[in-house]
């Protein structure tokens, strides 16, 4: 034992040497993704940022493989991923190839309906979330419609109200109700609002509409719709938005989880 060393100190030193060092913390790195996924991600980014536009023909698979430094089979798998997302389409023949897709609004609307429908009713997306989002979109839309409406929109709204008053049956009533709100969205002149709101209407109807809505409820809906149309017809943006807020707050009772 060395000079100045005590048995107690020696035992402590031995214990320190015997204790294994703590495992190092994992490095803050991202796991490498498969090569085909990395190719798909980069092509997707080029499409979304506008570098590749609708109808743009992509280079042949061999050329893409050279650009990315991967095999043709890897490129082919990446293109299959993009095709499954509706971002590209392949045309056969001498003038064919792989092209950036032209997306129609109905395609986007259908995709949103499916996605919202799958998520709805869970902790991820509750009925309250859907109704709140609807109010955020439509209250503002009613004010825009009052500023931008044309006579044809007002005529269409009044015609829709008349059909509502004479319609019978839960499903028919709601279809007319949805059509009325769709005309208001159209009157805003903002096509994206239609793409965003129509899927919400359809999910609310298919999943959450109460089966026992009383007739008196629909009579009140008719009166509220009339107020909304009057405000839109008068060009009263603030009044139209307020009337829509009152209406949407009250018709929450027509839906249930």
């Amino acid at each position: 034992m060395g000079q100045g060393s005590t048995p107690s100190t020696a035992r402590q030193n031995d214990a320190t040497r015997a204790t294994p060092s703590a495992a190092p913390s994992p490095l803050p790195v991202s796991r490498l993704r498969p090569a085909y996924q990395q190719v798909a991600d980069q092509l997707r980014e080029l499409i979304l940022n506008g570098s590749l536009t609708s109808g743009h023909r992509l280079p042949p698979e061999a050329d893409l493989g050279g650009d990315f430094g991967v095999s043709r089979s890897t490129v082919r798998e990446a293109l299959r991923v993009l095709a499954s997302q509706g971002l590209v389409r392949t045309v056969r023949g001498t003038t064919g190839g792989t092209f950036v897709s032209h997306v129609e609004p109905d395609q986007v609307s259908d995709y949103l309906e499916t996605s919202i429908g799958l998520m709805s009713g869970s902790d991820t997306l509750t009925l309250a979330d859907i109704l709140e989002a609807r109010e955020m979109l439509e209250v503002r839309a009613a004010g825009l419609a009052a500023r931008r409406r044309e006579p044809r929109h007002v005529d269409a709204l009044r015609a829709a109200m008349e059909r509502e008053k004479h319609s019978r049956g839960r499903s028919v009533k709601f279809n007319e109700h949805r059509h009325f709100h769709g005309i208001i969205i159209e009157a805003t002149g903002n096509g994206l609002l239609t793409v965003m709101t129509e899927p919400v209407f359809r999910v609310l109807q298919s999943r959450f509409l109460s089966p026992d809505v009383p007739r008196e409820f629909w009579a009140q809906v008719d009166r509220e719709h009339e107020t909304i149309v009057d405000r839109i017809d008068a060009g009263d943006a603030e009044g139209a938005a307020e009337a829509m807020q009152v209406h949407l707050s009250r018709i929450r009772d027509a839906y249930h989880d």
Side-chain angles (χ1 to χ4, degrees), residues 1 114 146:
M1 186 177 299
T114 300

Side-chain angles (χ1 to χ4, degrees), residues 90-109:
T90 299
V91 178
R92 305 298 177 186
T94 56
T95 60
T98 300
F99 299 85
V100 178
S101 297
H102 176 70
V103 180
E104 297 290 343
D106 286 348
Q107 291 177 276
V108 179
S109 189

Side-chain angles (χ1 to χ4, degrees), residues 67-144:
D67 291 339
F68 284 103
V70 298
S71 66
R72 289 183 62 179
S73 61
T74 297
V75 171
R76 196 172 299 119
E77 186 63 28
L79 294 179
R80 276 197 285 266
V81 171
L82 297 176
S84 71
Q85 297 171 351
L87 294 174
V88 301
R89 59 185 178 86
T90 299
V91 178
R92 305 298 177 186
T94 56
T95 60
T98 300
F99 299 85
V100 178
S101 297
H102 176 70
V103 180
E104 297 290 343
D106 286 348
Q107 291 177 276
V108 179
S109 189
D110 289 344
Y111 176 79
L112 284 175
E113 180 186 358
T114 300
S115 300
I116 293 171
L118 290 171
M119 294 169 61
S120 63
S122 68
D123 292 338
T124 304
L125 186 64
T126 66
L127 172 60
D129 293 333
I130 297 174
L131 292 174
E132 183 178 66
R134 180 187 183 185
E135 290 174 16
M136 293 173 68
L137 290 169
E138 288 200 65
V139 170
R140 173 67 170 160
L144 288 176

Side-chain angles (χ1 to χ4, degrees), residues 25-44:
S25 301
L27 294 175
V29 299
S30 299
R31 290 180 179 271
L32 292 178
R33 309 188 74 187
Y36 77 87
Q37 189 64 63
Q38 294 187 59
V39 172
D41 288 347
Q42 290 191 54
L43 289 174
R44 182 176 185 273

Side-chain angles (χ1 to χ4, degrees), residues 24-253:
S25 301
L27 294 175
V29 299
S30 299
R31 290 180 179 271
L32 292 178
R33 309 188 74 187
Y36 77 87
Q37 189 64 63
Q38 294 187 59
V39 172
D41 288 347
Q42 290 191 54
L43 289 174
R44 182 176 185 273
E45 180 62 26
L46 290 173
I47 293 171
L48 295 182
N49 69 22
S51 298
L52 297 173
T53 57
S54 177
H56 189 113
R57 182 177 181 175
L58 298 182
E61 291 176 359
D63 293 351
L64 282 173
D67 291 339
F68 284 103
V70 298
S71 66
R72 289 183 62 179
S73 61
T74 297
V75 171
R76 196 172 299 119
E77 186 63 28
L79 294 179
R80 276 197 285 266
V81 171
L82 297 176
S84 71
Q85 297 171 351
L87 294 174
V88 301
R89 59 185 178 86
T90 299
V91 178
R92 305 298 177 186
T94 56
T95 60
T98 300
F99 299 85
V100 178
S101 297
H102 176 70
V103 180
E104 297 290 343
D106 286 348
Q107 291 177 276
V108 179
S109 189
D110 289 344
Y111 176 79
L112 284 175
E113 180 186 358
T114 300
S115 300
I116 293 171
L118 290 171
M119 294 169 61
S120 63
S122 68
D123 292 338
T124 304
L125 186 64
T126 66
L127 172 60
D129 293 333
I130 297 174
L131 292 174
E132 183 178 66
R134 180 187 183 185
E135 290 174 16
M136 293 173 68
L137 290 169
E138 288 200 65
V139 170
R140 173 67 170 160
L144 288 176
R147 295 190 185 97
R148 300 174 179 176
R149 85 279 181 269
E150 299 173 9
R152 63 185 178 88
H153 294 127
V154 177
D155 292 343
L157 285 169
R158 296 202 183 279
M161 281 195 308
E162 287 304 309
R163 288 195 303 272
E164 278 188 76
K165 292 176 183 178
H166 296 94
S167 61
R168 297 289 182 271
R170 167 178 170 269
S171 180
V172 175
K173 280 283 188 185
F174 190 89
N175 283 337
E176 293 294 349
H177 175 84
R178 193 177 86 190
H179 180 59
F180 175 89
H181 284 261
I183 297 169
I184 293 176
I185 298 298
E186 180 188 341
T188 68
N190 187 320
L192 183 57
L193 278 175
T194 299
V195 172
M196 295 168 65
T197 55
E198 184 62 23
V200 173
F201 295 160
R202 294 198 294 256
V203 170
L204 285 173
Q205 179 180 15
S206 62
R207 289 190 60 108
F208 298 111
L209 184 60
S210 176
D212 53 359
V213 179
R215 292 173 57 185
E216 297 76 14
F217 176 89
W218 293 114
Q220 180 61 31
V221 166
D222 293 339
R223 290 190 288 271
E224 290 169 359
H225 280 185
E226 187 168 357
T227 300
I228 293 169
V229 176
D230 287 344
R231 299 279 65 78
I232 290 175
D233 190 15
D236 179 3
E238 184 176 344
E242 182 180 349
M244 181 63 79
Q245 180 64 70
V246 169
H247 172 59
L248 293 180
S249 296
R250 205 186 64 77
I251 64 170
R252 282 172 169 258
D253 295 338

